[in-house]
Amino acid sequence: MVCGGFTCSKNALCSLNVVYMLVGLLLIGVAAWGKGFGIVSSIHIIGGVIAVGVFLLLISIVGLIGALNHHQVMLFFYMVILFLVFLFQFGVSCSCLAINKGQQVKLLSATWALMSNDTRLGVENKLNCCGLLNNNQSKEQFNEDVKLCNAPCKHGGECFNCGDLMLQHAAEALKILGAVGLFFSFTEILGVWLAARYRNQKDPRANPSAFL
């Protein structure tokens, strides 16, 4: 059987969806682990990561069942949804790679403003810092955060700003996330191409008169 045949396309599509399933389970597991150990205290962040993991897991299950059964309808919806996921993920990945430090500061400040006091205190305790950024635009908010801060550094000496600590690694983290997201987005295009090719191939075990 040549690699371009029915069996090869089926096995390749099944293998790709198994990888998607493992990635989805990994996202769910990491999010649950982070919440359990208090690494991330925001329920919105945890919920978003778990939602992406569950969605990817469900899509991979649909693709796997469609590939095993050569189900035309399931493969069609799998192709459409996976292509939409590719467009979204490709856009987000490019944004991660293109964002500069000024935009990082604005994004960080906007996210910090949306956090509750309990979430801010949790971040400060975890990073051992107080306040976000001590600049003219957020001076009042910074002073208020420092007053409420109960991080260990406040009792033992000078505290760093949480924003400075985050920005030190933000550029590297965004590059890694963008590169990984871009890589997986192209695997999704491969999945769409494989599904389209496999969907139009004839099953050699099927009745020839039952396939158009």
Side-chain angles (χ1 to χ4, degrees):
M1 177 66 68
V2 295
C3 191
F6 180 87
T7 302
C8 182
S9 298
K10 177 180 179 179
N11 292 338
L13 190 58
C14 289
S15 300
L16 192 62
N17 280 285
V18 169
V19 173
Y20 290 156
M21 289 178 66
L22 294 176
V23 172
L25 290 173
L26 181 64
L27 287 174
I28 297 172
V30 169
W33 175 80
K35 181 63 177 176
F37 284 87
I39 295 176
V40 182
S41 54
S42 175
I43 190 65
H44 301 291
I45 297 174
I46 291 293
V49 174
I50 292 178
V52 171
V54 171
F55 184 76
L56 188 59
L57 183 62
L58 292 176
I59 291 300
S60 62
I61 292 174
V62 171
L64 187 60
I65 295 174
L68 290 174
N69 298 320
H70 200 224
H71 196 288
Q72 298 291 309
V73 177
M74 293 184 73
L75 288 172
F76 173 77
F77 282 107
Y78 171 77
M79 289 163 46
V80 173
I81 296 174
L82 197 61
F83 182 72
L84 295 177
V85 172
F86 159 76
L87 293 177
F88 175 78
Q89 189 169 331
F90 182 80
V92 172
S93 300
C94 291
S95 299
C96 288
L97 293 173
I99 190 170
N100 56 40
K101 187 173 181 180
Q103 293 170 327
Q104 293 174 30
V105 171
K106 290 182 180 179
L107 182 61
L108 195 59
S109 300
T111 304
W112 188 267
L114 294 174
M115 291 181 180
S116 65
N117 287 333
D118 291 338
T119 303
R120 292 175 186 169
L121 290 175
V123 172
E124 290 171 339
N125 285 326
K126 193 67 185 179
L127 298 178
N128 196 21
C129 57
C130 285
L132 184 64
L133 293 169
N134 188 10
N135 52 32
N136 294 330
Q137 289 79 14
S138 58
K139 186 74 174 180
E140 184 177 348
Q141 180 65 56
F142 177 80
N143 292 333
E144 182 180 350
D145 290 336
V146 171
K147 290 180 182 179
L148 297 175
C149 179
N150 57 3
C153 65
K154 191 174 182 180
H155 307 289
E158 184 180 358
C159 288
F160 290 101
N161 300 340
C162 294
D164 292 336
L165 294 177
M166 293 177 184
L167 289 173
Q168 285 179 4
H169 306 286
E172 182 180 356
L174 285 171
K175 287 181 180 178
I176 294 174
L177 288 174
V180 172
L182 203 60
F183 171 78
F184 275 105
S185 67
F186 285 113
T187 67
E188 289 158 5
I189 279 291
L190 177 63
V192 173
W193 177 77
L194 277 174
R197 180 181 182 181
Y198 175 65
R199 185 171 179 267
N200 293 321
Q201 285 179 322
K202 179 181 177 181
D203 188 348
R205 299 167 300 176
N207 184 2
S209 62
F211 187 88
L212 296 178

